[in-house]
Amino acid sequence: MDNYSFTEENYIKAIYHLETKGDVANTNKLADAMQTRAASVTDMLKKLKRKKLVTYKPYYGCNLTPRGKSLALLIIRRHRLWEFFLSEKLGFNWQEVHDVAEELEHVGSEKLINKLDEFLGYPKVDPHGDPIPDFKGNMVEPEQFSLAGYTLNKSGIVVKIGEQSPALLEVLEQKKIGIGSRIKVLQKADFDQSMEIKINNKHTAHISKVLAENIFIKIV
Amino acid sequence: MDNYSFTEENYIKAIYHLETKGDVANTNKLADAMQTRAASVTDMLKKLKRKKLVTYKPYYGCNLTPRGKSLALLIIRRHRLWEFFLSEKLGFNWQEVHDVAEELEHVGSEKLINKLDEFLGYPKVDPHGDPIPDFKGNMVEPEQFSLAGYTLNKSGIVVKIGEQSPALLEVLEQKKIGIGSRIKVLQKADFDQSMEIKINNKHTAHISKVLAENIFIKIV
DNA sequence: ATAAAAATTTAGACAAATCTAAAAAAATAT
DNA sequence: ATATTTTTTTAGATTTGTCTAAATTTTTAT
């Protein structure tokens, strides 16, 4: 695999994320994502095109070539493996892992990342519930379920909140449940479907059926 | 702690290593260490002086300021902790760890490096036998001697290889001598200072004076 | 002590990634 | 369909770390 600068890698990653969100990666969106100016983006897109990582059409935007896409997946693989390492082995909170992984993801050694993968036991999902590509770039988007359908002792990561009402958000805030929280079902009451859950392996909470129906979990 | 570029950090590290070797870090030696030209070094030294990391005297060379020295020790701490991690946790050979650690050492998070230190059990020495500075920058130089100075029937554990040339590493590989090997001196020839040694109580080897001078042993 | 050699610095240039300001193209509104 | 607004590109400048070639200082040798 060739060698790319931090900046190039970050552009490729940003383009990938825009594409998978269904958007075309155009100049202004990229400038926004990269915290830079449109003119700088234009320059970079021309360069990435020269390097055959994207197809670039002036006044339109760009798409990743197959080469660009595998580079993106490699960087995402590195990022998410490091996030897993930081969380699992070094005891970082899931909120803290992103910024550090943002730096570690640019360390290029192929052997490093594959050995790390092995050391971590080939995890499928990072601490935010996002899937980790394997060494070939394949990843399995984990299925998400409402917490209400969960059975005892199953755990996962909160990836979505159903209803966006202020009342619901307030309850979640109060119980310290948010996107990324790791939740494990401890007890379930048959008569009203309420449940006792453990949040981030730290504190427990009791939540009603209605609340559980609005919390969506990815299995980890 | 402030933020420095990869290049600045690498210069600081090179200056530190020259200083501890007893040399004055002058332009040509630095150009050699940094694989660059003298003119580039001059530019950089002026910059490092502006940043108060070195004292620089034209036509003489430079010395690290206290700030510069603690930065150097921090980078060395990162480097050696990562080497330990790669060797101990990911199963890299001690010859392979250096280049990867060279990249990892520039990841700046203070929390990362202190958590890593904790995770590794606060190791005192890296896979090459070099001491790891603690979070304050203190390190204990382990007592070690060149094998060349050894007398008959004395034995110890290989903790460091002096010169890092591929030619030397190849000989060591071939004779199955590595960091951690237990070595006992069986015979010594007066006329050329070559010696017969036993390695790991298993096989014997004949090694020249020059080779012996590059093998450092810790008495056990 | 003076000339020759070696080491170092200065001057001016370059590539990468960025910027601002102005020009050009595309989208939108009347 | 034409004018206005938005988006994007171009042109030219800036910063960082590098380079070559020439000038300068220091060291070494006679």
Coordinates of all heavy atoms in Angstrom, one line a residue, chain A residues 146-180:
Chain A
S146 N -34.7 -2.2 19.4 CA -35.2 -1.4 20.5 C -34.8 -2.2 21.8 O -34.8 -3.4 21.8 CB -36.7 -1.3 20.4 OG -37.2 -1.1 21.7
L147 N -34.4 -1.4 22.8 CA -34.0 -2.0 24.1 C -35.2 -2.9 24.7 O -34.9 -3.9 25.4 CB -33.6 -0.9 25.1 CG -33.0 -1.4 26.4 CD1 -31.8 -2.3 26.2 CD2 -32.6 -0.2 27.2
A148 N -36.4 -2.5 24.3 CA -37.6 -3.2 24.8 C -37.6 -4.7 24.4 O -38.1 -5.5 25.2 CB -38.9 -2.5 24.3
G149 N -37.0 -5.0 23.3 CA -37.0 -6.4 22.8 C -35.9 -7.2 23.4 O -35.7 -8.4 23.1
Y150 N -35.0 -6.6 24.3 CA -33.9 -7.3 24.8 C -34.2 -8.3 25.8 O -35.2 -8.2 26.5 CB -32.9 -6.3 25.3 CG -31.8 -5.9 24.3 CD1 -32.2 -5.6 23.0 CD2 -30.5 -5.9 24.7 CE1 -31.2 -5.3 22.1 CE2 -29.5 -5.5 23.7 CZ -29.9 -5.2 22.5 OH -29.0 -4.9 21.5
T151 N -33.3 -9.3 25.9 CA -33.5 -10.3 26.9 C -32.4 -10.1 27.9 O -31.5 -9.3 27.7 CB -33.3 -11.7 26.3 OG1 -32.2 -11.8 25.4 CG2 -34.6 -12.1 25.6
L152 N -32.5 -10.8 29.0 CA -31.7 -10.7 30.2 C -30.2 -10.8 29.8 O -29.8 -11.7 29.0 CB -32.0 -11.7 31.2 CG -32.2 -11.1 32.6 CD1 -33.2 -10.0 32.7 CD2 -32.6 -12.2 33.6
N153 N -29.3 -10.0 30.4 CA -27.9 -10.1 30.3 C -27.3 -9.8 28.9 O -26.1 -9.9 28.7 CB -27.4 -11.4 30.8 CG -27.5 -11.5 32.3 OD1 -27.2 -10.5 33.0 ND2 -27.9 -12.6 32.8
K154 N -28.2 -9.4 28.0 CA -27.7 -9.0 26.7 C -27.3 -7.5 26.9 O -27.9 -6.7 27.6 CB -28.8 -9.1 25.7 CG -28.5 -10.1 24.6 CD -29.7 -10.3 23.7 CE -29.3 -10.1 22.3 NZ -30.5 -10.3 21.4
S155 N -26.2 -7.1 26.2 CA -25.8 -5.7 26.3 C -25.4 -5.2 24.9 O -25.2 -5.9 24.0 CB -24.6 -5.6 27.2 OG -23.4 -6.0 26.6
G156 N -25.4 -3.9 24.9 CA -25.1 -3.2 23.6 C -24.9 -1.7 23.8 O -24.8 -1.3 24.9
I157 N -24.8 -1.1 22.7 CA -24.5 0.4 22.7 C -25.6 1.2 22.1 O -26.2 0.8 21.1 CB -23.3 0.6 21.7 CG1 -22.0 -0.2 22.2 CG2 -22.9 2.1 21.6 CD1 -21.3 0.4 23.4
V158 N -26.0 2.2 22.8 CA -27.1 3.1 22.4 C -26.7 3.8 21.1 O -25.6 4.4 21.0 CB -27.5 4.1 23.4 CG1 -28.6 5.0 22.9 CG2 -27.9 3.5 24.7
V159 N -27.4 3.6 20.0 CA -27.1 4.2 18.8 C -28.1 5.2 18.3 O -27.9 6.0 17.3 CB -26.8 3.2 17.6 CG1 -25.6 2.4 17.9 CG2 -28.0 2.2 17.5
K160 N -29.3 5.1 18.8 CA -30.4 6.0 18.3 C -31.4 6.2 19.4 O -31.7 5.3 20.2 CB -31.0 5.4 17.1 CG -31.8 6.3 16.2 CD -32.2 5.7 14.9 CE -33.5 4.9 15.1 NZ -33.9 4.2 13.8
I161 N -32.0 7.4 19.4 CA -33.2 7.6 20.3 C -34.4 7.8 19.4 O -34.4 8.5 18.4 CB -33.0 8.9 21.1 CG1 -31.7 8.8 21.9 CG2 -34.2 9.2 22.0 CD1 -31.6 7.6 22.9
G162 N -35.5 7.0 19.7 CA -36.6 7.0 18.8 C -37.3 8.4 18.7 O -37.1 9.1 17.7
E163 N -38.0 8.7 19.7 CA -38.8 10.0 19.7 C -37.9 11.1 20.2 O -37.1 10.8 21.1 CB -40.0 9.7 20.7 CG -41.0 10.8 20.8 CD -41.9 10.5 22.0 OE1 -42.4 9.4 22.2 OE2 -42.1 11.5 22.8
Q164 N -38.0 12.3 19.7 CA -37.1 13.3 20.1 C -37.7 14.3 21.0 O -37.2 15.5 21.1 CB -36.5 14.0 18.8 CG -35.7 13.1 17.9 CD -34.4 12.7 18.5 OE1 -33.8 13.4 19.3 NE2 -33.8 11.6 18.0
S165 N -38.7 14.0 21.7 CA -39.4 14.9 22.6 C -38.5 15.4 23.7 O -37.7 14.6 24.2 CB -40.7 14.3 23.2 OG -40.3 13.4 24.2
P166 N -38.7 16.7 24.1 CA -37.9 17.2 25.2 C -38.1 16.4 26.5 O -37.1 16.2 27.2 CB -38.5 18.6 25.4 CG -39.1 19.0 24.1 CD -39.6 17.7 23.5
A167 N -39.3 15.9 26.7 CA -39.6 15.2 27.9 C -38.7 13.9 28.0 O -38.1 13.6 29.0 CB -41.0 14.8 28.0
L168 N -38.6 13.2 26.8 CA -37.8 12.0 26.8 C -36.3 12.3 26.9 O -35.6 11.7 27.7 CB -38.0 11.3 25.4 CG -37.1 10.1 25.1 CD1 -37.3 9.0 26.2 CD2 -37.4 9.5 23.8
L169 N -35.9 13.4 26.2 CA -34.5 13.7 26.3 C -34.1 14.1 27.7 O -33.0 13.8 28.2 CB -34.1 14.9 25.4 CG -34.4 14.5 23.9 CD1 -34.0 15.7 23.0 CD2 -33.6 13.3 23.4
E170 N -35.0 14.7 28.5 CA -34.7 15.1 29.8 C -34.6 13.9 30.7 O -33.6 13.8 31.5 CB -35.9 15.9 30.4 CG -35.5 16.8 31.6 CD -36.7 17.4 32.2 OE1 -37.6 18.0 31.5 OE2 -36.9 17.3 33.5
V171 N -35.4 12.9 30.5 CA -35.3 11.6 31.3 C -33.9 11.0 31.0 O -33.3 10.5 31.9 CB -36.4 10.7 31.0 CG1 -36.3 9.3 31.8 CG2 -37.8 11.3 31.3
L172 N -33.6 11.0 29.7 CA -32.3 10.3 29.4 C -31.1 11.0 30.0 O -30.2 10.4 30.5 CB -32.2 10.3 27.8 CG -33.1 9.4 27.1 CD1 -33.0 9.6 25.6 CD2 -32.9 7.9 27.5
E173 N -31.2 12.4 30.0 CA -30.2 13.2 30.6 C -30.0 12.8 32.0 O -29.0 12.6 32.6 CB -30.5 14.7 30.4 CG -29.6 15.6 31.1 CD -28.9 16.5 30.1 OE1 -29.3 16.6 28.9 OE2 -27.9 17.1 30.5
Q174 N -31.2 12.8 32.7 CA -31.2 12.6 34.1 C -30.7 11.2 34.5 O -29.9 11.0 35.5 CB -32.7 12.7 34.6 CG -32.9 12.6 36.1 CD -34.0 11.6 36.4 OE1 -35.1 11.7 35.8 NE2 -33.7 10.6 37.2
K175 N -30.9 10.2 33.6 CA -30.5 8.8 33.9 C -29.1 8.6 33.3 O -28.5 7.5 33.3 CB -31.4 7.8 33.3 CG -32.8 7.8 34.0 CD -33.5 6.5 33.7 CE -35.0 6.6 34.1 NZ -35.2 6.5 35.6
K176 N -28.5 9.7 32.7 CA -27.2 9.6 32.1 C -27.1 8.6 31.0 O -26.1 7.8 31.0 CB -26.1 9.4 33.2 CG -25.9 10.6 34.1 CD -24.9 10.4 35.1 CE -24.8 11.7 36.0 NZ -24.3 11.4 37.3
I177 N -28.1 8.5 30.2 CA -28.1 7.6 29.0 C -28.0 8.5 27.8 O -28.7 9.5 27.6 CB -29.4 6.8 28.9 CG1 -29.5 6.0 30.2 CG2 -29.4 5.9 27.7 CD1 -30.9 5.3 30.3
G178 N -27.0 8.2 26.9 CA -26.9 8.9 25.7 C -26.3 8.1 24.6 O -26.1 6.9 24.8
I179 N -26.2 8.6 23.4 CA -25.6 7.9 22.3 C -24.3 7.4 22.7 O -23.5 8.2 23.2 CB -25.5 8.7 21.0 CG1 -26.9 9.2 20.6 CG2 -24.8 8.0 19.9 CD1 -27.8 8.2 20.1
G180 N -24.0 6.1 22.5 CA -22.7 5.6 22.9 C -22.7 4.9 24.3 O -21.8 4.1 24.6

